[in-house]
């Protein structure tokens, strides 16, 4: 079942996660079933799974391979490596110090990729340097996974999401490149000389606010809690999601009404969401996307009825939005997912 609170993950990432399992002669269907993922979804390009299911799959593969990095590096990232990274970076004063300590540790563990960061007056950069040439699929998923792990940890350390300005990847554009806009940044590019993420240099001075106690809670929920994007359950964005989830989309409040609901000014609402790297539009679009997928695959409602339920004034507007989210039309998504069209 798709969870609109926790988000969803494209099936392409599930396929990539299973590649290390297949290489070692293990049965991928066993891992999928234990994670509550129907194996038939692998054949459907438009399919999505919940972040919770993908997190369970990640942990199961890590335990089977004794590798928290899916077998993507010449050297295994043995189980417990991420927890050690968490505790090492926890006892720092700022994000800058955490990055210095964290990248040093990762560079001791990894043989095929080196992680570096630098900062100017305005922009900081996080770079993944390829040290050993691997095939394109391994390099692609290694960079995807390494960023999600590191970004999730860093956001947790300072208690808010670090907004990524630009993301450039050292490989060709994959068919599921639209997912990168939701997972990484609005400004993405491919075929770059290096994989590079940029963010606001001021974020480097943000204090580390976590403790050993909160670290235990964080690690108990990892990696489910940062697979899609780091979500602080106490953040304003999370509170807005909960507020919207309890209301039909066609009755969702506007920006000014939300500001009144949360007893803050509109300018404060905008500033706080900017600080979290979020926007009302992005929050609503993500909720609408997952609701649309659930209705298309689990109901007999027509596309027009679903469009109206989601608050679209016209079916054509829903079609355009759904194509931006998934790359296909609502009707094509329903047919390819195996769901039957309503009579």
């Amino acid at each position: 079942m798709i969870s609109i609170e926790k988000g969803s993950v494209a099936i392409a990432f599930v396929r990539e996660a299973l590649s290390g399992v297949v290489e070692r002669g293990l049965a991928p269907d066993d891992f999928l079933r234990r994670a509550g993922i129907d194996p038939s979804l692998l054949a459907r390009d438009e399919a999505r799974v919940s972040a919770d299911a993908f997190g369970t799959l990640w942990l199961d593969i890590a335990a089977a391979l004794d590798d928290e990095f899916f077998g993507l590096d010449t050297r295994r990232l043995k189980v417990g490596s991420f927890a050690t990274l968490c505790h090492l970076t926890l006892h720092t004063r700022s994000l800058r110090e955490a990055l210095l300590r964290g990248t040093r540790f990762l560079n001791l563990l990894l043989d095929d990729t080196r992680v570096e960061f630098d900062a100017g007056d305005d922009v900081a950069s996080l770079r993944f340097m390829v040290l050993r040439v691997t095939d394109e699929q391994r390099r692609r998923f290694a960079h995807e996974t390494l960023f999600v792990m590191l970004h999730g940890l860093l956001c947790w350390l300072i208690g808010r999401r670090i907004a990524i300005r630009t993301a450039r990847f050292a490989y060709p554009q994959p068919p599921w490149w639209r997912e990168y806009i939701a997972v990484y940044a609005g400004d993405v590019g491919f075929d770059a000389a290096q994989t590079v993420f940029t963010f606001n240099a001021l974020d480097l001075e943000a204090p580390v606010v976590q403790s050993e106690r909160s670290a235990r809670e964080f690690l108990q929920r990892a990696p489910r809690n940062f697979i899609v994007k780091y979500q602080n359950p106490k953040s304003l964005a999370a509170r807005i999601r909960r507020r919207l989830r309890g209301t039909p989309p066609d009755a969702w409040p506007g920006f000014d009404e939300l500001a009144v609901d949360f007893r803050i000014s509109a300018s404060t609402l905008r500033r706080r969401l900017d600080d979290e790297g979020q926007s009302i539009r992005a929050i609503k679009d993500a909720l609408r996307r997952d609701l649309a997928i659930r209705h298309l695959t689990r109901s007999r409602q027509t596309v027009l009825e679903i469009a109206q339920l989601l608050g679209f004034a016209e079916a054509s507007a829903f079609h355009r939005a759904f194509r931006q989210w998934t790359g296909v039309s609502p009707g094509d998504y329903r047919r390819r997912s195996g769901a039957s069209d309503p009579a």
Side-chain angles (χ1 to χ4, degrees), residues 115-153:
V115 185
E116 296 183 349
F117 92 92
D118 56 69
D121 294 336
D122 183 50
V123 177
S125 300
L126 186 65
R127 302 173 183 273
F128 296 166
M129 318 284 288
V130 177
L131 301 181
R132 190 192 303 267
V133 177
T134 57
D135 66 81
E136 180 186 313
Q137 180 181 346
R138 278 177 76 89
R139 183 172 72 255
R140 180 178 62 213
F141 194 44
H143 288 192
E144 292 168 348
T145 304
L146 187 57
F147 174 77
V148 167
M149 291 173 64
L150 191 53
H151 187 241
L153 172 63

Side-chain angles (χ1 to χ4, degrees), residues 6 15 37 41 92 96 111 140 147 154 163 176 181-182 190-191 193 219 223 241 275-276 285 294 311 324:
K6 295 185 179 179
R15 292 172 182 151
I37 300 172
L41 293 178
T92 56
R96 183 188 299 272
D111 281 347
R140 180 178 62 213
F147 174 77
L154 296 173
W176 54 90
I181 296 173
F190 300 89
D191 290 311
L219 290 170
R241 287 189 196 94
D275 288 343
E276 294 178 9
D285 280 351
R294 187 171 71 180
Q324 290 178 343

Side-chain angles (χ1 to χ4, degrees), residues 47-337:
R48 306 185 72 85
V49 303
S50 71
D52 189 67
F54 189 82
T56 300
L57 179 67
W58 189 333
L59 293 174
D60 196 18
I61 293 174
L65 304 183
D66 191 19
D67 188 346
E68 295 178 336
F69 200 40
F70 298 103
L72 294 169
D73 195 84
T74 302
R75 185 187 300 183
R76 281 180 297 146
L77 211 63
K78 294 182 180 181
V79 172
S81 297
F82 183 77
T84 303
L85 175 63
C86 174
H87 288 291
L88 280 174
T89 54
L90 176 65
H91 300 290
T92 56
R93 291 175 297 179
S94 68
L95 183 67
R96 183 188 299 272
E97 290 185 15
L99 260 172
L100 285 169
R101 186 174 292 185
T103 53
R104 280 200 300 265
F105 181 66
L106 284 172
N107 290 334
L108 286 173
L109 296 181
L110 299 174
D111 281 347
D112 300 344
T113 305
R114 179 175 177 82
V115 185
E116 296 183 349
F117 92 92
D118 56 69
D121 294 336
D122 183 50
V123 177
S125 300
L126 186 65
R127 302 173 183 273
F128 296 166
M129 318 284 288
V130 177
L131 301 181
R132 190 192 303 267
V133 177
T134 57
D135 66 81
E136 180 186 313
Q137 180 181 346
R138 278 177 76 89
R139 183 172 72 255
R140 180 178 62 213
F141 194 44
H143 288 192
E144 292 168 348
T145 304
L146 187 57
F147 174 77
V148 167
M149 291 173 64
L150 191 53
H151 187 241
L153 172 63
L154 296 173
C155 292
W156 170 77
L157 285 171
I158 64 172
R160 62 176 174 82
R161 198 173 72 83
I162 301 164
I164 301 302
R165 288 188 176 186
T166 63
R168 299 292 180 265
F169 299 90
Y171 46 81
Q173 177 176 296
W176 54 90
W177 67 272
R178 289 179 181 83
E179 295 297 318
Y180 282 58
I181 296 173
V183 177
Y184 303 104
D187 183 353
V188 301
F190 300 89
D191 290 311
Q194 299 171 347
T195 295
V196 182
F197 304 91
T198 65
F199 57 97
N200 192 330
L202 289 176
D203 287 336
L204 293 172
E205 310 313 318
V208 171
V209 297
Q210 304 299 341
S211 64
E212 288 287 350
R213 180 176 179 178
S214 62
R216 287 192 294 271
E217 297 172 355
F218 174 69
L219 290 170
Q220 284 173 356
R221 296 172 57 220
R224 301 174 184 89
N225 48 354
F226 58 74
I227 282 172
V228 178
K229 278 188 178 182
Y230 171 77
Q231 293 180 3
N232 180 349
K234 298 179 181 178
S235 69
L236 181 59
R239 292 166 60 200
I240 291 172
R241 287 189 196 94
R242 290 192 289 270
R243 163 72 171 84
L244 297 179
R245 206 170 73 250
T247 306
D250 60 356
W252 278 349
F255 190 92
D256 291 338
E257 187 178 347
L258 281 169
V260 172
D261 285 351
F262 288 97
R263 299 181 179 179
I264 55 179
S265 67
S267 60
T268 299
L269 174 61
R270 184 173 290 105
R271 176 181 56 77
R272 288 180 58 183
L273 286 174
D274 284 345
D275 288 343
E276 294 178 9
Q278 294 282 3
S279 70
I280 296 298
R281 179 175 179 178
I283 291 170
K284 288 182 175 180
D285 280 351
L287 292 175
R288 280 195 177 100
R289 180 199 65 193
D290 286 350
L291 278 171
I293 290 171
R294 187 171 71 180
H295 286 304
L296 286 167
T297 58
R298 298 177 181 271
S299 81
R300 297 280 293 168
Q301 293 162 313
T302 66
V303 170
L304 177 59
E305 289 170 339
I306 294 171
Q308 292 171 339
L309 279 173
L310 297 180
F312 287 91
E314 299 177 353
S316 59
F318 174 52
H319 275 261
R320 288 194 299 272
F322 196 83
R323 278 188 176 277
Q324 290 178 343
W325 297 333
T326 66
V328 297
S329 70
D332 284 344
Y333 190 98
R334 169 172 265 164
R335 284 188 288 273
R336 295 183 192 183
S337 71

